[in-house]
Amino acid sequence: MDNRTNMASKQEYSVHDEVEFLSFVLGEEHYALDIMSVKEIRGYEPVTKIANAPSFIKGVLNLRGDIVPIVDLRMKFAVGSATYNEFTIVIMLNVFDRIVGIVVDAVSDVIKLAAEEILPAPEFGVAFDSRYLKGLATVEDKMIILVNIQALISSDELGLIDANSLSDQE
């Protein structure tokens, strides 16, 4: 990814805007995603497995009539241990009019960041591909990795959103 891409993702917010992010933990690292995509936060519940799905797609569940794929980000990015118990958290997201659940180790806080507090994403040194990063920010002496959840969920890698339906929405 070149600097133009980093600048483009940083320019999504005007200089005076503060954007709220939901922070969460994967392994030893702290992440955050735009809170506007969060539908709800739930405990993990058993899912229906899907044949031939990648191991990080745990399966699907019925959420009030919507069939929701559940992606374990811990497995996808090889961070943290993939245990499922009463403490396991699922963040339900609404991305491109599709509900998707992501499994994380813990949800931390809601943080507000101004555009100037968001630094460009590095090319290396974090658990996952920099295409899925908005940038980095320091909050209370912790480095927070800002996830571009729309790019991640709509990626061909996950295969959860039909690329043709995305071009219809633009």
Side-chain angles (χ1 to χ4, degrees):
M1 174 161 59
D2 62 22
N3 286 336
R4 288 176 302 198
T5 308
N6 279 337
M7 292 304 292
S9 65
K10 192 171 179 176
Q11 290 173 352
E12 290 176 20
Y13 313 114
S14 86
V15 176
H16 302 293
D17 285 349
E18 276 197 334
V19 179
E20 289 187 322
F21 292 87
L22 178 67
S23 64
F24 60 92
V25 177
L26 289 177
E28 300 296 315
E29 297 181 15
H30 296 268
Y31 296 82
L33 55 84
D34 189 329
I35 201 162
M36 294 307 290
S37 55
V38 176
K39 181 175 175 60
E40 65 184 86
I41 299 168
R42 306 168 52 95
Y44 185 82
E45 56 189 84
V47 297
T48 302
K49 305 271 186 218
I50 302 295
N52 298 320
S55 62
F56 55 83
I57 297 182
K58 300 313 302 170
V60 296
L61 60 83
N62 185 335
L63 180 67
R64 296 182 289 281
D66 288 318
I67 301 303
V68 178
I70 304 297
V71 177
D72 192 326
L73 289 189
R74 302 170 303 179
M75 292 179 72
K76 171 71 179 111
F77 300 118
V79 294
S81 58
T83 57
Y84 304 96
N85 56 36
E86 66 273 16
F87 303 110
T88 304
I89 302 294
V90 178
I91 303 172
M92 293 295 181
L93 304 169
N94 193 341
V95 178
F96 298 114
D97 294 327
R98 174 91 194 255
I99 300 171
V100 177
I102 58 170
V103 179
V104 300
D105 290 324
V107 170
S108 304
D109 220 341
V110 174
I111 55 175
K112 286 184 182 181
L113 296 171
E116 62 269 11
E117 295 175 284
I118 301 173
L119 304 171
E123 293 296 322
F124 59 89
V126 294
F128 60 85
D129 195 319
S130 59
R131 290 177 297 173
Y132 308 132
L133 301 182
K134 284 190 179 199
L136 301 171
T138 302
V139 177
E140 297 174 4
D141 297 328
K142 285 187 291 205
M143 185 63 69
I144 308 285
I145 300 163
L146 304 176
V147 180
N148 182 341
I149 201 66
Q150 289 80 7
L152 174 62
I153 297 300
S154 64
S155 70
D156 289 341
E157 229 177 312
L158 292 189
L160 298 175
I161 310 254
D162 179 16
N164 294 328
S165 67
L166 288 182
S167 59
D168 294 344
Q169 291 182 12
E170 293 176 13

